[in-house]
Amino acid sequence: MEISMKINGAEVTHDVEPRTLLVHFVRENAGLRGTHWGCDTSNCGACVLWVDGTPTKSCTMLAASAAGHDITTVEGLEKDGKLDPIQQGFIECHGLQCGFCTPGMLMTGRWILDNNPKPSEEEIREGISGQLCRCTGYKNIVDSIHWAADHPAENEVSA
Amino acid sequence: MTAVQEVPISAGGNPIGFGSMKRVEDQRFVRGQGNYVDDVNLPGMLHSAILRSPWAHARIKSIDTSAALALPGVIAVLTGKDLEGIPRPSLLGDNFAWMPTLSYDTQAVLATDKVRFQGQEVAYVIAESRYIAKDAVELIDVDYEPLEPVMDAKRAMDPGAPVIRDDKGQTDNSITDVHGHKTWESGNAISTAEAIARAEADPNCVVVTQEVMYPRVHPAPMETCGSVAHLDKVTGQLTLYTTSQAPHAHRTVYAMVAGLPEQKIRVIAPDIGGGFGNKVGVYPGYVLSILGTIVTGKPVKWIEDRGENLMSTSFARDYHMTGKIAATKDGKILAVDVDVLADHGAFNGVAQPTNYPAGFFHIFSGSYDYPDAHCKVTPVYTNKAPGGVAYACSFRITEAVYVIERLVDCLAAELGMDPAELRLKNLLKPDQFPYTSPTGWVYDSGQYEKTMRVAMEIAGYDELRREQAEKRARGEYMGIGISFFTEGVGAGPRKDMDILGLGMADGIELRVHPTGKAVLRLSVMSQGQGHETTYAQIVAHELGIPPEDIDVVNGDTDQTPFGLGTYGSRSMPVSGAAAAIVSRKVKERARIVAAAALECSPDDLEWELGRWSVKGDKERGKTIQEIALLSHSSLELPEGVEGHLDATAVYNPPNLTYPYGAYICVVDVDPGTGVVKVRRFIAVDDCGTRVNPMLVDGQVHGGIADGIGMALMELIAFDTDGNNLGGSFMDYLLPTSMECPSFELGETVTPSPHHPIGAKGVGESATVGSPAAVVNAVMDALAPFGVRHADMPLTPSNVWRAIQGNPIRVDMAIE
Amino acid sequence: MQTPAPVDYVRATSVADALSLLQQHGDEARLLAGGHSLLPMMKLRLARPEILVDINDLDELRGIRIDGNEIVVGAMVTHAEILNSPILFEHYPIFREAEKVIADPIVRNKGTMGGSMCQADPAEDLSAVGAALRGTVVIQNAEGRRTVAMREFHEGPYETKVADGEILVEVRYPILPGSGSAYEKVERRSGDWAVCAAGACVTISGGVFSSVGIGIGAVNAEHFTAVDAEAFLVGKEPTAENIATAAQMAADSCDPSADQRGPADYKKHLAMELTKRALTRAAAAAKGA
């Protein structure tokens, strides 16, 4: 079936099997390989991207269900050649090692801050609790999201 | 905290040397531009999937692949019988159905006669898409005759137990190593037995015996294993993109397995999504992807799913240990003896130095000063997946640290002595180094008491004990657990250490371009450790070239010199040393070039970071960048001195390095539910010189999370029918952000005397050291209930049962 | 990675359209809501419907509202929406307590109440909550709507009263003014299914329990509740002793089986302990307590 969706603002159309998972559509059809997958069982969150601005595990959604919706992936975070503060925060605070969980963590981190510009440590920990990281023990991820909270981009509305 | 060295800062804002430099690799990762194996897509590439055994032990009566072959989009289906028919011109058997393991055993690539563990590879499908490959796997019809599985290592030893390795003509389930040994012993059996007997007879002494099990766990990196193989039939060049922690060693193994000329094989490990030992082994899937490209003539991708990863690739631990510790009643340790039953699964596939069949387990005597220690390890086959040395274990030092640190706590409980006091009383003293342990290790350096006291100070140890006493009086149960560990890492001296005959030395190559920019080529392989950053820092430290001017290449056998790869925390102790040495070679060449340019003797020059200058006339000098250009110029050099500023080195470590640390964990236990909450975790590591302290802390953080995971939730158990009960992330539980506290780190720095920059390696320290701290904390919390030991993982049910005096047997299904 | 078997896909435009699609395809069709139960099963190839009827566009199944003396929660309301609903929190804090420990924030963004309830996992939390609150399930088919009490909704593990060709459209929870409610759950790790969970919703009048609802999950409690324990407490003072007795009765009525979450004796103990804790907190929160 032919499926169209907006990915990072651009319309993407492909003819795929109805069973195609959104993560595969994004990776294989749209060629955006920043979104990963790690578990098959909706536990790990390596595949998190946004559907209409809401973080979603894209291994547990059919591409067909995403048709007509707005998808944002890690590739969509950088604007006008400038990293989003959440990306910068992960660099500053050593919030990643192997980098495999990072795209999903970034998408959720950005979403946490969009909804709660000054989150507590507990709120951040709760917010990323559906995403597994095997390298960092989460401490530096929490710090990275805090860093981004403390360094909002100029165009961010301060709340 | 660290004595921060004064390091100049480059124009790029980076330390020209050691310091907390931001990582180079992050720029691509935060943009989603990492390049992992599943991101590799070659023109015309086919996909593949493996049919795996649902049975732990069964005879294969027949396999019908016709329906799978008939499915549109399926290119080929291979079975073990097919592989038996492919002749292999190699020393390692005459066909492809079996392959060698890293421990000189054999392992089926695809099962021919029997399946020997649930999840074993039975058939291989190559198809146009991964979806079709998975569809076809379902259409393969295998007729199995189920056999009694051997799931309990103790049962494996029974004379009447089913024989698993009848393919080798075995009549029992014992394992014989390459030296012909069926058990592996270390230390002095006689003196240790005598010391324990004396203690048993002495009213002023105690002997504590404790059985502890380190259950089966899995490294479970976030990226599973996989490969993309492409054989160019015209040139005969095989390119394998693969999840490998050891690309060079893997290439040699593939040359042996596939009978292909080694120079025609190029192994590329691109970005690796975590390894932790999972990506050391050579798995049937990799070999099958190679066979796939040979058979189809097209690139073939194989990516395992998570269930396959957990059920078939390298597990860790599965050590049943019985320890005896003898001490005087005032707390002086006298002797330790440990007897181990080691469950190796269906094939002896452990990845460890040949002469160390139980890995480095015999370092179990730990960080304490006592004369007599002995261990005996008995390995057995069971109907479980092969592997055994993985999950950041430093070749089984994890098991060693766990058993000694549990024993010390059991001893403290027996003596009614504070476990910190007991440890302080027995820790090795700084003037004892280099220290030869009772099992023959030569520890290089350490200031153990200092490190322990730093940890106790960060924890506020005395205050914690006061709080605990108050809470106990109120019926609240908090626990404080300590672990003090010593590791031996950086395998290793090639006279002692090899894997499949390949000595464990590492090559390195440094090239300084005419403009003074450099490229360093490593044999070791990052799986997230940050090699591209830290190795540039080592060169910067040695040569004064800003780190942003140094590219670090790793993971491509065509672009890097030979070496055994990254595992066992060996990168920094081995290749880190190589990086310093190769830089020093360049520095010496630079001196000659500078002397020629300055028209003086090299002996008249002195080095300050990044520049050779004339002694007593600092104005006259040449920077390393100027020298680089001169070295490529028409400048006349002394007889016998070649131009350019390149060097290579192979580092053969004279000894292991011995990082160590003191960890303290604080837990709160709800006795009504058995739920354990890790409230605090304090880690003070001494890994010698810290090239990049930020990255060292990051390594420690990850390892602590591992320890919390293993101590509280991670487990692969089996039921008696042979079913793997940890085959998905629904059941194999990794800790989340909610189970990990905000770790509190400290450090002491005691450089290794024999390492060129004094570094010791830290990659596995926290995974090795932390489980015991968590378990000791929980046992400490449960002490008022009379609980002395329960095995990991200390799940809510296990803790509650321990309080009832009936802890759970963790390695089998809960009944 | 795992992939679903071939399947057809169609998007329903209304409940009526969905019902007609279900009727057309019979038992080969499955409704696709949040997909967080169905798609993992399909990837494991434990479920292989021939056609998926996607009901994510059906706004008529969304929304949380008050209708008379009931709170109505649409089937397509997500777990995140329940967690953050001021209406539910005002009347029944139990929802927030339960939702906070259902799966994880990302799954809760997508997973729906209706999907969870129809999956009917024996450890499903909203089933225990619904039992405690004595909710009513509204099911629609070609003939119209029918209602089933939450306490009669489950036919067994993974089986409910929703038949082929039917859609669960909403659940209605009666408002109990002045009630107190609470939820307790033990899990091996955050995001895991319950080892055992217990919820309670009580009203207190004149110093005694005037109504008691108990919901228990994951330990094979009949209809996720414990009616004898409830009956015991009604009319009694909310003392620790009475609550302990009721909690023990509740545990005695459970029949858990051992699995990797724990042995049966432990789960039975938890049924007692968590029922006790939930009742104690619910009683303390009830007005007039």
Side-chain angles (χ1 to χ4, degrees):
Chain A
M1 62 190 292
E2 189 172 276
I3 289 174
S4 294
M5 65 186 79
K6 256 202 182 113
I7 306 183
N8 301 328
E11 197 72 21
V12 178
T13 303
H14 286 279
D15 191 10
V16 298
E17 283 190 273
R19 61 169 161 165
T20 305
L21 297 169
L22 178 58
V23 65
H24 285 143
F25 187 88
V26 168
R27 284 177 54 81
E28 314 290 339
N29 299 99
L32 295 169
R33 304 208 174 86
T35 303
H36 302 143
W37 68 269
C39 76
D40 301 317
T41 48
S42 327
N43 295 101
C44 82
C47 63
V48 169
L49 44 65
W50 293 353
V51 178
D52 300 329
T54 301
T56 301
K57 293 186 173 178
S58 64
C59 79
T60 314
M61 183 167 183
L62 293 180
S65 295
H69 292 271
D70 268 340
I71 307 300
T72 311
T73 69
V74 65
E75 289 92 343
L77 284 176
E78 190 177 1
K79 296 269 161 43
D80 305 324
K82 197 165 165 31
L83 292 181
D84 187 277
I86 196 74
Q87 293 170 300
Q88 195 61 40
F90 273 66
I91 295 173
E92 296 292 329
C93 300
H94 190 29
L96 68 150
Q97 291 179 35
C98 80
F100 204 75
C101 75
T102 309
M105 288 288 186
L106 290 170
M107 297 313 288
T108 298
R110 181 68 261 163
W111 175 70
I112 290 170
L113 297 179
D114 287 347
N115 289 283
N116 180 4
K118 289 285 171 198
S120 66
E121 178 184 338
E122 195 52 34
E123 286 167 335
I124 293 174
R125 285 186 178 275
E126 161 70 20
I128 61 170
S129 63
Q131 284 155 269
L132 299 171
C133 170
R134 207 59 168 140
C135 298
T136 66
Y138 307 101
K139 181 182 192 309
N140 287 354
I141 293 178
V142 174
D143 290 351
S144 300
I145 296 172
H146 266 146
W147 188 97
D150 292 341
H151 298 81
E154 280 162 26
N155 58 356
E156 270 182 65
V157 184
S158 59
Chain B
M1 299 302 290
T2 336
V4 179
Q5 289 168 299
E6 284 294 317
V7 177
I9 301 300
S10 73
N14 295 312
I16 305 178
F18 303 158
S20 289
M21 175 181 158
K22 308 284 182 290
R23 298 203 324 167
V24 176
E25 14 317 62
D26 292 359
Q27 293 293 336
R28 64 177 183 275
F29 290 139
V30 300
R31 290 174 168 86
Q33 288 173 14
N35 183 38
Y36 302 88
V37 170
D38 200 17
D39 300 337
V40 173
N41 283 329
L42 303 179
M45 186 177 78
L46 300 171
H47 295 264
S48 63
I50 295 172
L51 172 70
R52 293 175 181 278
S53 169
W55 299 99
H57 199 190
R59 194 165 304 286
I60 296 175
K61 293 166 77 177
S62 66
I63 303 178
D64 181 356
T65 61
S66 53
L69 274 167
L71 187 72
V74 171
I75 308 297
V77 181
L78 299 175
T79 65
K81 283 267 179 290
D82 298 324
L83 301 197
E84 279 180 331
I86 304 177
R88 173 171 58 189
S90 91
L91 303 172
L92 296 159
D94 54 5
N95 69 66
F96 276 105
W98 292 82
M99 65 176 192
T101 72
L102 297 179
S103 290
Y104 294 91
D105 196 0
T106 48
Q107 175 173 357
V109 176
L110 290 176
T112 51
D113 52 341
K114 289 201 306 190
V115 288
R116 292 175 171 83
F117 67 92
Q118 188 187 48
Q120 188 181 337
E121 297 80 3
V122 174
Y124 184 60
V125 174
I126 303 163
E128 286 169 0
S129 80
R130 69 176 88 206
Y131 285 64
I132 296 171
K134 289 280 187 190
D135 295 343
V137 157
E138 285 193 298
L139 296 174
I140 300 170
D141 187 18
V142 184
D143 188 8
Y144 293 102
E145 176 194 341
L147 303 170
E148 182 192 339
V150 181
M151 307 317 299
D152 180 347
K154 290 172 183 158
R155 161 84 174 131
M157 301 289 282
D158 289 348
V163 176
I164 296 163
R165 297 304 303 274
D166 44 348
D167 59 295
K168 298 171 70 179
Q170 294 221 174
T171 54
D172 62 17
N173 293 314
S174 66
I175 293 177
T176 308
D177 71 18
V178 68
H179 304 294
H181 298 140
K182 283 181 188 285
T183 60
W184 306 320
E185 285 193 65
S186 193
N188 191 325
I190 294 166
S191 71
T192 303
E194 286 172 355
I196 289 172
R198 276 197 306 275
E200 276 168 341
D202 186 340
N204 293 316
C205 293
V206 294
V207 176
V208 175
T209 303
Q210 183 64 53
E211 240 183 278
V212 303
M213 153 134 221
Y214 208 132
R216 182 172 276 237
V217 289
H218 197 281
M222 295 316 301
E223 176 203 36
T224 61
C225 299
S227 53
V228 178
H230 180 215
L231 177 71
D232 184 321
K233 289 221 158 161
V234 177
T235 62
Q237 171 88 29
L238 173 72
T239 306
L240 185 75
Y241 298 86
T242 182
T243 48
S244 173
Q245 298 178 219
H248 289 279
H250 278 191
R251 180 179 59 171
T252 303
V253 172
Y254 294 129
M256 294 172 170
V257 171
L260 292 168
E262 195 166 356
Q263 84 280 9
K264 292 286 191 193
I265 303 175
R266 179 181 185 185
V267 173
I268 300 173
D271 287 320
I272 301 295
F276 317 109
N278 190 214
K279 293 160 182 173
V280 174
V282 172
Y283 301 121
Y286 302 151
V287 176
L288 288 167
S289 70
I290 294 173
L291 289 170
T293 188
I294 291 173
V295 168
T296 64
K298 294 196 170 161
V300 174
K301 177 184 274 188
W302 167 72
I303 303 288
E304 70 187 1
D305 64 36
R306 179 55 64 186
E308 295 180 285
N309 176 254
L310 290 168
M311 290 173 71
S312 73
T313 60
S314 198
F315 78 95
R317 331 288 196 254
D318 224 336
Y319 256 34
H320 301 249
M321 304 177 278
T322 304
K324 266 187 193 186
I325 184 166
T328 64
K329 282 198 170 156
D330 60 356
K332 186 82 194 84
I333 300 171
L334 301 169
V336 175
D337 199 344
V338 183
D339 191 73
V340 181
L341 179 60
D343 185 337
H344 281 229
F347 308 101
N348 186 22
V350 293
Q352 61 205 358
T354 306
N355 293 337
Y356 299 79
F360 297 168
F361 177 77
H362 55 296
I363 201 170
F364 71 91
S365 70
S367 314
Y368 311 109
D369 181 18
Y370 57 93
D372 292 302
H374 167 257
C375 69
K376 182 174 127 188
V377 178
T378 306
V380 292
Y381 289 118
T382 59
N383 287 115
K384 302 184 190 176
V389 172
Y391 201 171
C393 72
S394 293
F395 298 120
R396 295 206 194 273
I397 296 178
T398 322
E399 292 91 315
V401 166
Y402 183 66
V403 73
I404 186 68
E405 291 305 292
R406 279 302 299 133
L407 284 175
V408 168
D409 258 40
C410 290
L411 175 64
E414 179 78 20
L415 296 172
M417 192 182 254
D418 184 283
E421 186 192 340
L422 178 60
R423 284 180 173 80
L424 284 166
K425 195 171 182 134
N426 288 281
L427 286 175
L428 293 165
K429 306 282 185 293
D431 61 6
Q432 289 179 277
F433 293 90
Y435 167 79
T436 303
S437 84
T439 51
W441 302 91
V442 183
Y443 299 3
D444 55 354
S445 62
Q447 305 174 77
Y448 288 2
E449 181 177 341
K450 178 180 168 187
T451 306
M452 180 75 175
R453 293 212 182 271
V454 172
M456 291 172 72
E457 194 181 314
I458 295 172
Y461 188 77
D462 295 338
E463 182 50 42
L464 283 172
R465 285 290 174 205
R466 269 194 294 278
E467 181 193 347
Q468 181 183 43
E470 285 168 22
K471 286 199 161 152
R472 275 187 185 166
R474 296 203 295 268
E476 292 171 35
Y477 298 88
M478 69 176 269
I480 305 153
I482 301 169
S483 165
F484 197 105
F485 67 93
T486 300
E487 281 199 279
V489 304
R494 63 195 293 176
K495 68 178 165 52
D496 300 323
M497 296 184 189
D498 70 271
I499 292 180
L500 278 184
L502 303 171
M504 301 184 78
D506 282 0
I508 200 159
E509 188 184 308
L510 176 61
R511 189 181 301 172
V512 184
H513 300 307
T515 54
K517 318 287 183 190
V519 59
L520 182 74
R521 298 172 189 279
L522 304 177
S523 59
V524 287
M525 175 65 211
S526 175
Q527 312 118 47
Q529 291 91 338
H531 287 11
E532 291 165 51
T533 305
T534 44
Y535 283 83
Q537 289 184 269
I538 295 171
V539 175
H541 171 80
E542 294 290 336
L543 290 179
I545 300 175
E548 64 267 24
D549 289 349
I550 304 161
D551 272 11
V552 176
V553 178
N554 69 164
D556 181 343
T557 55
D558 270 12
Q559 293 209 46
T560 58
F562 188 89
L564 278 216
T566 294
Y567 43 84
S569 300
R570 66 187 298 280
S571 285
M572 189 53 71
V574 187
S575 272
I581 283 170
V582 81
S583 300
R584 289 171 193 179
K585 283 187 175 179
V586 165
K587 190 162 81 182
E588 283 310 304
R589 173 87 61 81
R591 182 182 200 157
I592 295 166
V593 174
L598 295 166
E599 297 179 332
C600 65
S601 158
D603 295 340
D604 294 337
L605 298 178
E606 64 183 354
W607 176 259
E608 58 186 331
L609 190 63
R611 190 167 180 270
W612 283 111
S613 61
V614 176
K615 288 176 191 164
D617 185 5
K618 271 207 182 317
E619 294 301 301
R620 273 183 71 204
K622 294 286 178 193
T623 65
I624 189 76
Q625 289 81 5
E626 290 166 338
I627 298 168
L629 191 55
L630 288 166
S631 74
H632 291 83
S633 72
S634 57
L635 175 71
E636 197 167 324
L637 295 172
E639 184 81 24
V641 176
E642 296 170 347
H644 301 182
L645 215 47
D646 307 340
T648 63
V650 177
Y651 185 72
N652 176 25
N655 186 10
L656 301 181
T657 57
Y658 292 80
Y660 64 93
Y663 291 176
I664 300 177
C665 177
V666 183
V667 300
D668 295 301
V669 177
D670 179 341
T673 60
V675 171
V676 175
K677 174 88 187 157
V678 178
R679 190 205 309 172
R680 294 177 66 194
F681 200 104
I682 295 96
V684 180
D685 277 273
D686 193 323
C687 56
T689 304
R690 295 177 170 222
V691 172
N692 187 326
M694 180 179 83
L695 269 56
V696 169
D697 286 353
Q699 297 278 297
V700 173
H701 290 163
I704 299 170
D706 290 347
I708 290 170
M710 288 180 279
L712 300 183
M713 62 197 82
E714 292 179 35
L715 174 67
I716 294 182
F718 293 84
D719 68 18
T720 49
D721 293 333
N723 294 305
N724 184 319
L725 304 175
S728 81
F729 278 171
M730 311 272 287
D731 302 304
Y732 192 79
L733 301 173
L734 303 181
T736 75
S737 51
M738 303 299 281
E739 286 76 41
C740 297
S742 192
F743 313 125
E744 302 162 68
L745 270 49
E747 67 182 43
T748 59
V749 176
T750 311
S752 170
H754 65 77
H755 187 280
I757 56 171
K760 289 187 168 185
V762 75
E764 301 170 321
S765 287
T767 312
V768 166
S770 60
V774 181
V775 173
N776 283 345
V778 177
M779 292 305 118
D780 184 54
L782 300 185
F785 297 103
V787 177
R788 194 172 84 179
H789 180 75
D791 286 327
M792 297 182 280
L794 296 167
T795 56
S797 64
N798 197 7
V799 169
W800 182 79
R801 272 288 203 82
I803 294 170
Q804 317 306 311
N806 185 22
I808 282 166
R809 176 169 175 185
V810 296
D811 58 328
M812 301 298 290
I814 293 175
E815 287 175 349
Chain C
M1 78 177 277
Q2 293 168 0
T3 57
V7 66
D8 280 334
Y9 172 92
V10 60
R11 268 193 206 187
T13 54
S14 65
V15 170
D17 182 37
L19 286 170
S20 100
L21 285 163
L22 286 179
Q23 201 148 36
Q24 189 183 329
H25 295 283
D27 59 3
E28 306 301 344
R30 288 288 296 269
L31 293 176
L32 178 64
H36 275 59
S37 299
L38 181 56
L39 285 174
M41 301 285 280
M42 288 175 64
K43 287 198 279 179
L44 285 166
R45 310 225 167 174
L46 295 173
R48 43 176 77 233
E50 287 183 4
I51 183 164
L52 293 173
V53 178
D54 188 334
I55 54 172
N56 277 279
D57 287 350
L58 306 190
D59 287 342
E60 54 196 301
L61 298 181
R62 297 191 188 277
I64 299 169
R65 62 193 160 86
I66 290 181
D67 180 13
N69 64 346
E70 288 181 315
I71 303 175
V72 183
V73 181
M76 290 300 290
V77 168
T78 65
H79 290 291
E81 287 166 342
I82 294 174
L83 174 67
N84 296 315
S85 162
I87 294 176
L88 287 173
F89 184 64
E90 181 193 339
H91 294 280
Y92 288 127
I94 188 174
F95 276 106
R96 188 165 294 184
E97 293 186 10
E99 283 291 355
K100 254 185 105 81
V101 290
I102 291 177
D104 65 62
I106 312 302
V107 168
R108 293 197 294 260
N109 282 340
K110 207 58 196 145
T112 64
M113 179 198 70
S116 291
M117 298 219 352
C118 289
Q119 175 69 13
D121 189 288
E124 205 277 306
D125 293 283
L126 292 183
S127 299
V129 171
L133 301 188
R134 294 188 170 84
T136 305
V137 181
V138 181
I139 298 168
Q140 191 168 335
N141 56 31
E143 277 83 57
R145 292 189 168 197
R146 64 193 180 99
T147 59
V148 176
M150 266 304 308
R151 292 179 170 205
E152 292 166 11
F153 179 67
H154 295 89
E155 304 256 80
Y158 307 102
E159 283 180 60
T160 71
K161 285 270 181 0
V162 181
D164 288 340
E166 293 192 319
I167 297 178
L168 185 161
V169 290
E170 63 193 31
V171 180
R172 308 177 79 94
Y173 301 97
I175 295 172
L176 286 180
S179 68
S181 65
Y183 197 72
E184 294 277 343
K185 175 175 175 176
V186 166
E187 49 193 1
R188 293 176 300 177
R189 188 207 63 193
S190 73
D192 188 22
W193 291 95
V195 179
C196 176
C201 177
V202 303
T203 53
I204 291 174
S205 157
V208 298
F209 285 112
S210 44
S211 74
V212 176
I214 295 173
I216 305 178
V219 285
N220 202 15
E222 200 174 350
H223 295 300
F224 287 84
T225 189
V227 289
D228 291 348
E230 292 172 340
F232 168 82
L233 278 182
V234 173
K236 291 205 173 57
E237 289 177 24
T239 62
E241 196 186 346
N242 284 333
I243 287 173
T245 303
Q248 191 55 55
M249 290 172 73
D252 290 344
S253 71
C254 297
D255 184 22
S257 45
D259 60 18
Q260 286 310 95
R261 291 189 171 76
D265 60 346
Y266 169 65
K267 291 185 180 182
K268 205 148 190 166
H269 163 79
L270 275 189
M272 182 279 292
E273 184 70 28
L274 299 185
T275 303
K276 185 173 75 181
R277 292 181 185 193
L279 281 168
T280 303
R281 287 203 297 114
K287 292 200 174 64

